[in-house]
Amino acid sequence: MDDFTFIIILLPIIFMLHEFEEIICFKPWIERNQPWLITKYPQFSKLVAHLNEMSVPTFAMLVLEEFILVSIVTITALTLHWYNIWVAIFTAFAFHILIQIIQWIIIRKYIPVIITSLLAVPYIFWGLNTILKEIPINYIILYWICGVFVMCINLYITHKIADKKTV
């Protein structure tokens, strides 16, 4: 098995390990830190309130939806060799990890994604290095833009649906 295939196979696994940390730790963390977050970052008070109101089962359902998408794209890449959508998902995930590391640096205390974010960094560098050997950089940038765009739309829609649910 070559490195590119192995990196493709690892994405759903790395994704879920990261999401497990968030599912398990996020609710207690946000409950403990909501007053501090709102005081320190009042511009995000609505987002913090939204996250605090979301139940763990609802959050887990959002993660399940994302995991299904990541898995479908991974299986498609492995079986049909359609790598462009997989690269879009991988680079969007890498961007997501980067944003969470930046959040941790700004907040300067544990956030319930930082352990697995830091552990994912070697995988992301390895993946990007391998992808750069297979796909021209201009395509990777285009796929990354598309992946982040789709990720943002997906997060917006799923969180709007979560607002209407009481689980």
Side-chain angles (χ1 to χ4, degrees):
M1 177 183 324
D2 63 355
D3 281 358
F4 193 53
T5 303
F6 192 55
I7 288 164
I8 292 170
I9 291 168
L10 284 176
L11 181 59
I13 298 164
I14 302 292
F15 174 84
M16 274 316 300
L17 288 173
H18 176 71
E19 293 302 320
F20 283 146
E21 180 186 11
E22 201 164 3
I23 290 168
I24 293 165
C25 301
F26 191 76
K27 186 68 174 176
W29 185 88
I30 198 81
E31 287 174 349
R32 277 192 315 273
N33 290 283
Q34 183 178 12
W36 175 81
L37 287 168
I38 291 171
T39 301
K40 187 157 179 147
Y41 306 102
Q43 67 272 29
F44 296 113
S45 61
K46 284 185 182 180
L47 176 61
V48 171
H50 163 72
L51 294 173
N52 192 38
E53 291 168 4
M54 189 181 303
S55 70
V56 174
T58 298
F59 185 76
M61 290 302 294
L62 299 181
V63 170
L64 175 62
E65 181 267 345
E66 291 175 342
F67 177 70
I68 290 169
L69 290 176
V70 168
S71 298
I72 289 169
V73 169
T74 298
I75 291 166
T76 302
L78 291 169
T79 57
L80 301 177
H81 307 287
W82 293 352
Y83 302 119
N84 53 352
I85 298 172
W86 184 88
V87 171
I89 297 287
F90 176 85
T91 55
F93 176 69
F95 182 70
H96 170 77
I97 295 295
L98 175 65
I99 294 298
Q100 292 183 327
I101 291 171
I102 291 169
Q103 288 172 335
W104 172 63
I105 291 168
I106 291 169
I107 290 176
R108 296 184 187 172
K109 63 193 279 188
Y110 171 80
I111 58 174
V113 292
I114 195 56
I115 295 169
T116 53
S117 291
L118 293 172
L119 290 173
V121 169
Y123 165 72
I124 290 167
F125 276 116
W126 180 38
L128 289 173
N129 184 50
T130 303
I131 291 166
L132 282 166
K133 293 176 187 171
E134 302 287 331
I135 300 170
I137 187 72
N138 56 329
Y139 286 108
I140 295 170
I141 292 169
L142 175 64
Y143 300 154
W144 171 70
I145 292 168
C146 293
V148 169
F149 179 73
V150 169
M151 177 181 74
C152 290
I153 290 171
N154 185 56
L155 284 173
Y156 178 80
I157 291 169
T158 56
H159 279 269
K160 283 295 180 188
I161 292 168
D163 279 345
K164 296 178 189 328
K165 301 272 184 212
T166 53
V167 178

mmCIF file of all heavy atoms in Angstrom, residues 4 73 81-95 128 131-132 134-151:
data_model
loop_
_atom_site.group_PDB
_atom_site.id
_atom_site.type_symbol
_atom_site.label_atom_id
_atom_site.label_comp_id
_atom_site.label_asym_id
_atom_site.label_seq_id
_atom_site.Cartn_x
_atom_site.Cartn_y
_atom_site.Cartn_z
ATOM 1 N N PHE A 4 -0.156 7.492 -0.242
ATOM 2 C CA PHE A 4 -1.377 8.228 -0.583
ATOM 3 C C PHE A 4 -2.617 7.421 -0.187
ATOM 4 O O PHE A 4 -3.546 7.952 0.422
ATOM 5 C CB PHE A 4 -1.377 8.570 -2.073
ATOM 6 C CG PHE A 4 -2.425 9.572 -2.477
ATOM 7 C CD1 PHE A 4 -2.539 10.793 -1.830
ATOM 8 C CD2 PHE A 4 -3.293 9.307 -3.528
ATOM 9 C CE1 PHE A 4 -3.501 11.728 -2.208
ATOM 10 C CE2 PHE A 4 -4.249 10.228 -3.910
ATOM 11 C CZ PHE A 4 -4.359 11.446 -3.247
ATOM 12 N N VAL A 73 -16.931 9.935 0.980
ATOM 13 C CA VAL A 73 -15.898 10.522 0.116
ATOM 14 C C VAL A 73 -14.633 9.656 0.137
ATOM 15 O O VAL A 73 -14.002 9.443 -0.902
ATOM 16 C CB VAL A 73 -15.608 11.981 0.534
ATOM 17 C CG1 VAL A 73 -14.373 12.521 -0.152
ATOM 18 C CG2 VAL A 73 -16.815 12.863 0.234
ATOM 19 N N HIS A 81 -11.189 6.130 -7.401
ATOM 20 C CA HIS A 81 -10.017 6.985 -7.614
ATOM 21 C C HIS A 81 -10.410 8.430 -7.943
ATOM 22 O O HIS A 81 -9.722 9.088 -8.715
ATOM 23 C CB HIS A 81 -9.089 6.398 -8.691
ATOM 24 C CG HIS A 81 -8.713 4.991 -8.400
ATOM 25 N ND1 HIS A 81 -7.826 4.648 -7.408
ATOM 26 C CD2 HIS A 81 -9.144 3.810 -8.939
ATOM 27 C CE1 HIS A 81 -7.708 3.337 -7.353
ATOM 28 N NE2 HIS A 81 -8.499 2.793 -8.265
ATOM 29 N N TRP A 82 -11.493 8.898 -7.325
ATOM 30 C CA TRP A 82 -11.918 10.290 -7.444
ATOM 31 C C TRP A 82 -11.313 11.046 -6.262
ATOM 32 O O TRP A 82 -11.916 11.155 -5.202
ATOM 33 C CB TRP A 82 -13.433 10.412 -7.420
ATOM 34 C CG TRP A 82 -14.119 9.821 -8.614
ATOM 35 C CD1 TRP A 82 -13.546 9.349 -9.754
ATOM 36 C CD2 TRP A 82 -15.523 9.640 -8.775
ATOM 37 N NE1 TRP A 82 -14.484 8.884 -10.608
ATOM 38 C CE2 TRP A 82 -15.716 9.054 -10.039
ATOM 39 C CE3 TRP A 82 -16.625 9.914 -7.984
ATOM 40 C CZ2 TRP A 82 -16.977 8.739 -10.523
ATOM 41 C CZ3 TRP A 82 -17.881 9.595 -8.477
ATOM 42 C CH2 TRP A 82 -18.055 9.030 -9.726
ATOM 43 N N TYR A 83 -10.132 11.547 -6.464
ATOM 44 C CA TYR A 83 -9.371 12.136 -5.370
ATOM 45 C C TYR A 83 -9.694 13.607 -5.115
ATOM 46 O O TYR A 83 -9.435 14.102 -4.024
ATOM 47 C CB TYR A 83 -7.871 11.974 -5.616
ATOM 48 C CG TYR A 83 -7.460 10.538 -5.777
ATOM 49 C CD1 TYR A 83 -6.880 10.090 -6.960
ATOM 50 C CD2 TYR A 83 -7.657 9.620 -4.749
ATOM 51 C CE1 TYR A 83 -6.502 8.758 -7.112
ATOM 52 C CE2 TYR A 83 -7.294 8.285 -4.897
ATOM 53 C CZ TYR A 83 -6.718 7.869 -6.083
ATOM 54 O OH TYR A 83 -6.363 6.559 -6.226
ATOM 55 N N ASN A 84 -10.242 14.291 -6.088
ATOM 56 C CA ASN A 84 -10.460 15.731 -5.931
ATOM 57 C C ASN A 84 -11.383 16.063 -4.757
ATOM 58 O O ASN A 84 -11.083 16.955 -3.958
ATOM 59 C CB ASN A 84 -10.949 16.369 -7.227
ATOM 60 C CG ASN A 84 -12.154 15.679 -7.820
ATOM 61 O OD1 ASN A 84 -12.575 14.614 -7.373
ATOM 62 N ND2 ASN A 84 -12.710 16.272 -8.847
ATOM 63 N N ILE A 85 -12.480 15.337 -4.608
ATOM 64 C CA ILE A 85 -13.395 15.619 -3.494
ATOM 65 C C ILE A 85 -12.736 15.231 -2.174
ATOM 66 O O ILE A 85 -12.864 15.930 -1.175
ATOM 67 C CB ILE A 85 -14.751 14.894 -3.689
ATOM 68 C CG1 ILE A 85 -15.423 15.405 -4.973
ATOM 69 C CG2 ILE A 85 -15.660 15.114 -2.484
ATOM 70 C CD1 ILE A 85 -16.659 14.625 -5.372
ATOM 71 N N TRP A 86 -11.990 14.124 -2.176
ATOM 72 C CA TRP A 86 -11.294 13.721 -0.957
ATOM 73 C C TRP A 86 -10.260 14.775 -0.546
ATOM 74 O O TRP A 86 -10.148 15.113 0.629
ATOM 75 C CB TRP A 86 -10.620 12.355 -1.132
ATOM 76 C CG TRP A 86 -9.995 11.904 0.153
ATOM 77 C CD1 TRP A 86 -10.592 11.197 1.152
ATOM 78 C CD2 TRP A 86 -8.670 12.211 0.612
ATOM 79 N NE1 TRP A 86 -9.715 11.036 2.205
ATOM 80 C CE2 TRP A 86 -8.536 11.648 1.890
ATOM 81 C CE3 TRP A 86 -7.593 12.901 0.065
ATOM 82 C CZ2 TRP A 86 -7.356 11.743 2.631
ATOM 83 C CZ3 TRP A 86 -6.422 13.002 0.796
ATOM 84 C CH2 TRP A 86 -6.317 12.428 2.064
ATOM 85 N N VAL A 87 -9.516 15.305 -1.509
ATOM 86 C CA VAL A 87 -8.531 16.352 -1.199
ATOM 87 C C VAL A 87 -9.241 17.592 -0.652
ATOM 88 O O VAL A 87 -8.751 18.234 0.277
ATOM 89 C CB VAL A 87 -7.651 16.691 -2.426
ATOM 90 C CG1 VAL A 87 -6.786 17.927 -2.165
ATOM 91 C CG2 VAL A 87 -6.769 15.501 -2.795
ATOM 92 N N ALA A 88 -10.411 17.915 -1.186
ATOM 93 C CA ALA A 88 -11.189 19.050 -0.665
ATOM 94 C C ALA A 88 -11.560 18.817 0.795
ATOM 95 O O ALA A 88 -11.421 19.721 1.638
ATOM 96 C CB ALA A 88 -12.441 19.268 -1.520
ATOM 97 N N ILE A 89 -12.016 17.608 1.122
ATOM 98 C CA ILE A 89 -12.377 17.270 2.505
ATOM 99 C C ILE A 89 -11.137 17.265 3.404
ATOM 100 O O ILE A 89 -11.154 17.800 4.514
ATOM 101 C CB ILE A 89 -13.087 15.889 2.557
ATOM 102 C CG1 ILE A 89 -14.398 15.916 1.784
ATOM 103 C CG2 ILE A 89 -13.284 15.416 3.992
ATOM 104 C CD1 ILE A 89 -15.513 16.654 2.428
ATOM 105 N N PHE A 90 -10.055 16.659 2.937
ATOM 106 C CA PHE A 90 -8.828 16.587 3.729
ATOM 107 C C PHE A 90 -8.296 17.987 4.036
ATOM 108 O O PHE A 90 -7.932 18.285 5.178
ATOM 109 C CB PHE A 90 -7.756 15.771 2.993
ATOM 110 C CG PHE A 90 -6.437 15.742 3.710
ATOM 111 C CD1 PHE A 90 -6.198 14.816 4.713
ATOM 112 C CD2 PHE A 90 -5.429 16.642 3.392
ATOM 113 C CE1 PHE A 90 -4.987 14.795 5.390
ATOM 114 C CE2 PHE A 90 -4.218 16.630 4.059
ATOM 115 C CZ PHE A 90 -3.998 15.701 5.063
ATOM 116 N N THR A 91 -8.230 18.852 3.026
ATOM 117 C CA THR A 91 -7.688 20.199 3.250
ATOM 118 C C THR A 91 -8.634 21.042 4.106
ATOM 119 O O THR A 91 -8.171 21.863 4.898
ATOM 120 C CB THR A 91 -7.365 20.910 1.919
ATOM 121 O OG1 THR A 91 -8.527 20.923 1.080
ATOM 122 C CG2 THR A 91 -6.200 20.232 1.205
ATOM 123 N N ALA A 92 -9.935 20.823 3.982
ATOM 124 C CA ALA A 92 -10.879 21.520 4.865
ATOM 125 C C ALA A 92 -10.688 21.049 6.307
ATOM 126 O O ALA A 92 -10.716 21.856 7.243
ATOM 127 C CB ALA A 92 -12.318 21.288 4.404
ATOM 128 N N PHE A 93 -10.465 19.752 6.507
ATOM 129 C CA PHE A 93 -10.185 19.220 7.842
ATOM 130 C C PHE A 93 -8.890 19.822 8.385
ATOM 131 O O PHE A 93 -8.819 20.220 9.555
ATOM 132 C CB PHE A 93 -10.105 17.691 7.796
ATOM 133 C CG PHE A 93 -9.718 17.058 9.110
ATOM 134 C CD1 PHE A 93 -10.585 17.078 10.196
ATOM 135 C CD2 PHE A 93 -8.483 16.440 9.261
ATOM 136 C CE1 PHE A 93 -10.232 16.501 11.416
ATOM 137 C CE2 PHE A 93 -8.121 15.853 10.469
ATOM 138 C CZ PHE A 93 -9.000 15.893 11.548
ATOM 139 N N ALA A 94 -7.865 19.909 7.550
ATOM 140 C CA ALA A 94 -6.592 20.503 7.966
ATOM 141 C C ALA A 94 -6.802 21.957 8.389
ATOM 142 O O ALA A 94 -6.263 22.410 9.403
ATOM 143 C CB ALA A 94 -5.574 20.420 6.827
ATOM 144 N N PHE A 95 -7.615 22.682 7.639
ATOM 145 C CA PHE A 95 -7.932 24.081 7.976
ATOM 146 C C PHE A 95 -8.684 24.141 9.303
ATOM 147 O O PHE A 95 -8.404 25.005 10.148
ATOM 148 C CB PHE A 95 -8.764 24.689 6.844
ATOM 149 C CG PHE A 95 -9.119 26.125 7.050
ATOM 150 C CD1 PHE A 95 -8.152 27.115 6.987
ATOM 151 C CD2 PHE A 95 -10.432 26.499 7.298
ATOM 152 C CE1 PHE A 95 -8.490 28.448 7.172
ATOM 153 C CE2 PHE A 95 -10.775 27.820 7.481
ATOM 154 C CZ PHE A 95 -9.802 28.798 7.416
ATOM 155 N N LEU A 128 -0.377 16.391 3.439
ATOM 156 C CA LEU A 128 -0.153 17.495 2.492
ATOM 157 C C LEU A 128 1.098 17.252 1.658
ATOM 158 O O LEU A 128 1.096 17.495 0.441
ATOM 159 C CB LEU A 128 -0.059 18.823 3.239
ATOM 160 C CG LEU A 128 -1.371 19.337 3.838
ATOM 161 C CD1 LEU A 128 -1.121 20.572 4.703
ATOM 162 C CD2 LEU A 128 -2.401 19.639 2.759
ATOM 163 N N ILE A 131 0.163 14.575 -0.873
ATOM 164 C CA ILE A 131 -0.764 15.107 -1.883
ATOM 165 C C ILE A 131 -0.025 16.002 -2.870
ATOM 166 O O ILE A 131 -0.282 15.957 -4.079
ATOM 167 C CB ILE A 131 -1.923 15.860 -1.190
ATOM 168 C CG1 ILE A 131 -2.825 14.872 -0.440
ATOM 169 C CG2 ILE A 131 -2.739 16.668 -2.201
ATOM 170 C CD1 ILE A 131 -3.786 15.539 0.529
ATOM 171 N N LEU A 132 0.915 16.810 -2.359
ATOM 172 C CA LEU A 132 1.685 17.697 -3.239
ATOM 173 C C LEU A 132 2.503 16.914 -4.276
ATOM 174 O O LEU A 132 2.793 17.443 -5.352
ATOM 175 C CB LEU A 132 2.609 18.594 -2.413
ATOM 176 C CG LEU A 132 1.928 19.786 -1.750
ATOM 177 C CD1 LEU A 132 2.838 20.414 -0.700
ATOM 178 C CD2 LEU A 132 1.502 20.815 -2.789
ATOM 179 N N GLU A 134 1.346 14.267 -5.722
ATOM 180 C CA GLU A 134 0.386 13.650 -6.634
ATOM 181 C C GLU A 134 -0.443 14.662 -7.429
ATOM 182 O O GLU A 134 -0.867 14.373 -8.545
ATOM 183 C CB GLU A 134 -0.586 12.749 -5.844
ATOM 184 C CG GLU A 134 0.065 11.648 -5.035
ATOM 185 C CD GLU A 134 0.596 10.518 -5.899
ATOM 186 O OE1 GLU A 134 0.036 10.283 -6.987
ATOM 187 O OE2 GLU A 134 1.573 9.882 -5.473
ATOM 188 N N ILE A 135 -0.680 15.827 -6.837
ATOM 189 C CA ILE A 135 -1.625 16.788 -7.411
ATOM 190 C C ILE A 135 -0.978 18.170 -7.461
ATOM 191 O O ILE A 135 -0.372 18.598 -6.472
ATOM 192 C CB ILE A 135 -2.927 16.820 -6.570
ATOM 193 C CG1 ILE A 135 -3.573 15.431 -6.565
ATOM 194 C CG2 ILE A 135 -3.902 17.868 -7.085
ATOM 195 C CD1 ILE A 135 -4.707 15.257 -5.595
ATOM 196 N N PRO A 136 -1.127 18.887 -8.568
ATOM 197 C CA PRO A 136 -0.551 20.234 -8.666
ATOM 198 C C PRO A 136 -1.138 21.189 -7.619
ATOM 199 O O PRO A 136 -2.326 21.102 -7.283
ATOM 200 C CB PRO A 136 -0.916 20.692 -10.080
ATOM 201 C CG PRO A 136 -1.244 19.439 -10.828
ATOM 202 C CD PRO A 136 -1.753 18.457 -9.810
ATOM 203 N N ILE A 137 -0.313 22.090 -7.127
ATOM 204 C CA ILE A 137 -0.703 23.013 -6.050
ATOM 205 C C ILE A 137 -1.913 23.861 -6.415
ATOM 206 O O ILE A 137 -2.770 24.105 -5.556
ATOM 207 C CB ILE A 137 0.495 23.908 -5.620
ATOM 208 C CG1 ILE A 137 0.148 24.751 -4.392
ATOM 209 C CG2 ILE A 137 0.949 24.808 -6.748
ATOM 210 C CD1 ILE A 137 0.053 24.011 -3.109
ATOM 211 N N ASN A 138 -2.037 24.305 -7.658
ATOM 212 C CA ASN A 138 -3.187 25.131 -8.029
ATOM 213 C C ASN A 138 -4.502 24.355 -7.887
ATOM 214 O O ASN A 138 -5.520 24.916 -7.487
ATOM 215 C CB ASN A 138 -3.033 25.735 -9.428
ATOM 216 C CG ASN A 138 -2.799 24.715 -10.509
ATOM 217 O OD1 ASN A 138 -2.195 23.659 -10.284
ATOM 218 N ND2 ASN A 138 -3.257 25.013 -11.705
ATOM 219 N N TYR A 139 -4.491 23.062 -8.162
ATOM 220 C CA TYR A 139 -5.679 22.235 -7.956
ATOM 221 C C TYR A 139 -5.962 22.050 -6.464
ATOM 222 O O TYR A 139 -7.112 22.085 -6.031
ATOM 223 C CB TYR A 139 -5.539 20.870 -8.635
ATOM 224 C CG TYR A 139 -5.678 20.913 -10.130
ATOM 225 C CD1 TYR A 139 -4.569 20.726 -10.942
ATOM 226 C CD2 TYR A 139 -6.913 21.147 -10.731
ATOM 227 C CE1 TYR A 139 -4.684 20.767 -12.321
ATOM 228 C CE2 TYR A 139 -7.037 21.186 -12.106
ATOM 229 C CZ TYR A 139 -5.917 21.007 -12.897
ATOM 230 O OH TYR A 139 -6.034 21.054 -14.259
ATOM 231 N N ILE A 140 -4.900 21.839 -5.698
ATOM 232 C CA ILE A 140 -5.072 21.671 -4.247
ATOM 233 C C ILE A 140 -5.710 22.918 -3.645
ATOM 234 O O ILE A 140 -6.627 22.812 -2.827
ATOM 235 C CB ILE A 140 -3.724 21.354 -3.568
ATOM 236 C CG1 ILE A 140 -3.207 19.991 -4.047
ATOM 237 C CG2 ILE A 140 -3.864 21.368 -2.040
ATOM 238 C CD1 ILE A 140 -1.770 19.694 -3.634
ATOM 239 N N ILE A 141 -5.250 24.090 -4.058
ATOM 240 C CA ILE A 141 -5.827 25.349 -3.553
ATOM 241 C C ILE A 141 -7.294 25.455 -3.949
ATOM 242 O O ILE A 141 -8.143 25.825 -3.127
ATOM 243 C CB ILE A 141 -5.004 26.560 -4.035
ATOM 244 C CG1 ILE A 141 -3.623 26.539 -3.372
ATOM 245 C CG2 ILE A 141 -5.736 27.874 -3.740
ATOM 246 C CD1 ILE A 141 -2.633 27.521 -3.974
ATOM 247 N N LEU A 142 -7.610 25.125 -5.191
ATOM 248 C CA LEU A 142 -9.005 25.151 -5.645
ATOM 249 C C LEU A 142 -9.854 24.167 -4.844
ATOM 250 O O LEU A 142 -10.951 24.508 -4.383
ATOM 251 C CB LEU A 142 -9.083 24.822 -7.138
ATOM 252 C CG LEU A 142 -10.489 24.703 -7.731
ATOM 253 C CD1 LEU A 142 -11.220 26.041 -7.648
ATOM 254 C CD2 LEU A 142 -10.425 24.203 -9.159
ATOM 255 N N TYR A 143 -9.361 22.949 -4.648
ATOM 256 C CA TYR A 143 -10.099 21.954 -3.866
ATOM 257 C C TYR A 143 -10.278 22.418 -2.424
ATOM 258 O O TYR A 143 -11.329 22.210 -1.817
ATOM 259 C CB TYR A 143 -9.394 20.599 -3.891
ATOM 260 C CG TYR A 143 -9.235 19.989 -5.269
ATOM 261 C CD1 TYR A 143 -8.206 19.096 -5.533
ATOM 262 C CD2 TYR A 143 -10.099 20.298 -6.317
ATOM 263 C CE1 TYR A 143 -8.051 18.520 -6.786
ATOM 264 C CE2 TYR A 143 -9.951 19.733 -7.569
ATOM 265 C CZ TYR A 143 -8.925 18.850 -7.800
ATOM 266 O OH TYR A 143 -8.776 18.283 -9.044
ATOM 267 N N TRP A 144 -9.233 23.042 -1.849
ATOM 268 C CA TRP A 144 -9.310 23.560 -0.479
ATOM 269 C C TRP A 144 -10.401 24.625 -0.364
ATOM 270 O O TRP A 144 -11.220 24.582 0.557
ATOM 271 C CB TRP A 144 -7.958 24.140 -0.048
ATOM 272 C CG TRP A 144 -8.022 24.870 1.250
ATOM 273 C CD1 TRP A 144 -8.208 24.327 2.489
ATOM 274 C CD2 TRP A 144 -7.953 26.282 1.447
ATOM 275 N NE1 TRP A 144 -8.239 25.326 3.446
ATOM 276 C CE2 TRP A 144 -8.085 26.530 2.827
ATOM 277 C CE3 TRP A 144 -7.780 27.360 0.584
ATOM 278 C CZ2 TRP A 144 -8.056 27.811 3.360
ATOM 279 C CZ3 TRP A 144 -7.731 28.630 1.118
ATOM 280 C CH2 TRP A 144 -7.876 28.844 2.491
ATOM 281 N N ILE A 145 -10.447 25.561 -1.305
ATOM 282 C CA ILE A 145 -11.476 26.608 -1.287
ATOM 283 C C ILE A 145 -12.867 25.978 -1.360
ATOM 284 O O ILE A 145 -13.757 26.332 -0.590
ATOM 285 C CB ILE A 145 -11.255 27.630 -2.435
ATOM 286 C CG1 ILE A 145 -9.977 28.438 -2.169
ATOM 287 C CG2 ILE A 145 -12.463 28.548 -2.602
ATOM 288 C CD1 ILE A 145 -9.499 29.255 -3.352
ATOM 289 N N CYS A 146 -13.033 25.037 -2.273
ATOM 290 C CA CYS A 146 -14.326 24.351 -2.396
ATOM 291 C C CYS A 146 -14.657 23.577 -1.122
ATOM 292 O O CYS A 146 -15.800 23.610 -0.644
ATOM 293 C CB CYS A 146 -14.312 23.403 -3.589
ATOM 294 S SG CYS A 146 -14.215 24.236 -5.188
ATOM 295 N N GLY A 147 -13.679 22.891 -0.556
ATOM 296 C CA GLY A 147 -13.901 22.112 0.659
ATOM 297 C C GLY A 147 -14.306 22.977 1.837
ATOM 298 O O GLY A 147 -15.232 22.646 2.582
ATOM 299 N N VAL A 148 -13.626 24.098 2.028
ATOM 300 C CA VAL A 148 -13.969 25.009 3.132
ATOM 301 C C VAL A 148 -15.349 25.614 2.902
ATOM 302 O O VAL A 148 -16.145 25.733 3.842
ATOM 303 C CB VAL A 148 -12.888 26.095 3.312
ATOM 304 C CG1 VAL A 148 -13.348 27.190 4.265
ATOM 305 C CG2 VAL A 148 -11.589 25.475 3.812
ATOM 306 N N PHE A 149 -15.661 25.958 1.664
ATOM 307 C CA PHE A 149 -16.981 26.517 1.343
ATOM 308 C C PHE A 149 -18.082 25.510 1.683
ATOM 309 O O PHE A 149 -19.054 25.839 2.374
ATOM 310 C CB PHE A 149 -17.030 26.907 -0.136
ATOM 311 C CG PHE A 149 -18.350 27.474 -0.577
ATOM 312 C CD1 PHE A 149 -18.726 28.751 -0.204
ATOM 313 C CD2 PHE A 149 -19.212 26.724 -1.374
ATOM 314 C CE1 PHE A 149 -19.944 29.279 -0.606
ATOM 315 C CE2 PHE A 149 -20.428 27.236 -1.775
ATOM 316 C CZ PHE A 149 -20.801 28.525 -1.395
ATOM 317 N N VAL A 150 -17.918 24.286 1.240
ATOM 318 C CA VAL A 150 -18.911 23.242 1.522
ATOM 319 C C VAL A 150 -18.978 22.966 3.021
ATOM 320 O O VAL A 150 -20.063 22.791 3.586
ATOM 321 C CB VAL A 150 -18.607 21.958 0.715
ATOM 322 C CG1 VAL A 150 -19.453 20.788 1.179
ATOM 323 C CG2 VAL A 150 -18.809 22.217 -0.769
ATOM 324 N N MET A 151 -17.821 22.942 3.705
ATOM 325 C CA MET A 151 -17.790 22.712 5.145
ATOM 326 C C MET A 151 -18.583 23.793 5.880
ATOM 327 O O MET A 151 -19.375 23.490 6.771
ATOM 328 C CB MET A 151 -16.340 22.705 5.644
ATOM 329 C CG MET A 151 -16.190 22.544 7.151
ATOM 330 S SD MET A 151 -14.455 22.583 7.705
ATOM 331 C CE MET A 151 -14.079 24.323 7.536
#
